[in-house]
């Protein structure tokens, strides 16, 4: 059974940094596409970043140059380093796992989800 647990969410001021982590059990990170999504109140869930099974990364335009996704295969941990945070980054952030090495940005590509970790950025 796949189990994803996120941590690292917090309340920070604009310009600050946070590092989110997602520890997985029951899934082998190095094989499958993994992603970070976020959902703000009243908005749809959107992909923030993903990393394919071959290590290729993709980011939504609004976070390019500020966020970095990475994975530690030995520790089965997915991370999201978030720098230069903005109030519009405020959302619940979710870790997600696919069962394919490559995936699109659609949430439907990810059958496994964590419970989420809250990020709040104040101006």
């Amino acid at each position: 059974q796949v189990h994803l647990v996120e941590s690292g969410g917090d309340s920070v001021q604009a310009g600050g940094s946070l590092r989110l982590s997602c520890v997985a059990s029951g899934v082998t990170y190095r094989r499958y596409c993994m992603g970070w999504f976020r959902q703000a109140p009243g908005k749809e869930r959107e992909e923030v970043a993903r990393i394919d099974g071959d290590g290729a990364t993709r980011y939504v335009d609004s976070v390019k140059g500020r966020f970095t996704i990475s994975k530690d295969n030995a520790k089965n941990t997915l991370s999201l380093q978030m720098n230069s945070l903005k109030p519009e980054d405020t959302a619940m952030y979710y870790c997600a796992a696919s069962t394919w090495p490559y995936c699109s940005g659609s949430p439907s590509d990810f059958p496994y989800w964590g419970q989420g970790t809250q990020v709040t950025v104040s101006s």
Side-chain angles (χ1 to χ4, degrees):
Q1 184 176 357
V2 177
H3 191 52
L4 305 174
V5 179
E6 305 98 330
S7 63
D10 205 345
S11 296
V12 297
Q13 290 194 333
S17 297
L18 285 173
R19 185 176 183 86
L20 305 183
S21 294
C22 173
V23 178
S25 59
V27 61
T28 305
Y29 272 166
R30 66 176 179 273
R31 295 181 181 176
Y32 302 126
C33 177
M34 305 286 297
W36 285 98
F37 288 75
R38 66 186 178 188
Q39 187 166 19
K43 296 188 176 181
E44 292 188 354
R45 189 169 297 189
E46 67 167 350
E47 182 189 54
V48 176
R50 69 180 184 269
I51 183 165
D52 290 333
D54 62 2
T57 58
R58 291 173 177 81
Y59 300 90
V60 67
D61 286 346
S62 61
V63 307
K64 285 181 180 177
R66 300 189 298 122
F67 291 10
T68 302
I69 188 171
S70 61
K71 57 180 179 178
D72 185 328
N73 292 330
K75 296 181 179 180
N76 239 23
T77 299
L78 182 74
S79 298
L80 184 68
Q81 178 66 42
M82 306 187 296
N83 298 328
S84 302
L85 282 162
K86 304 176 180 180
E88 50 264 43
D89 294 318
T90 295
M92 184 71 79
Y93 282 70
Y94 298 90
C95 170
S98 175
T99 53
W100 297 93
Y102 305 101
C103 53
S104 72
S106 171
S108 62
D109 280 1
F110 298 85
Y112 304 112
W113 294 82
Q115 82 289 349
T117 187
Q118 179 67 40
V119 172
T120 303
V121 185
S122 58
S123 58

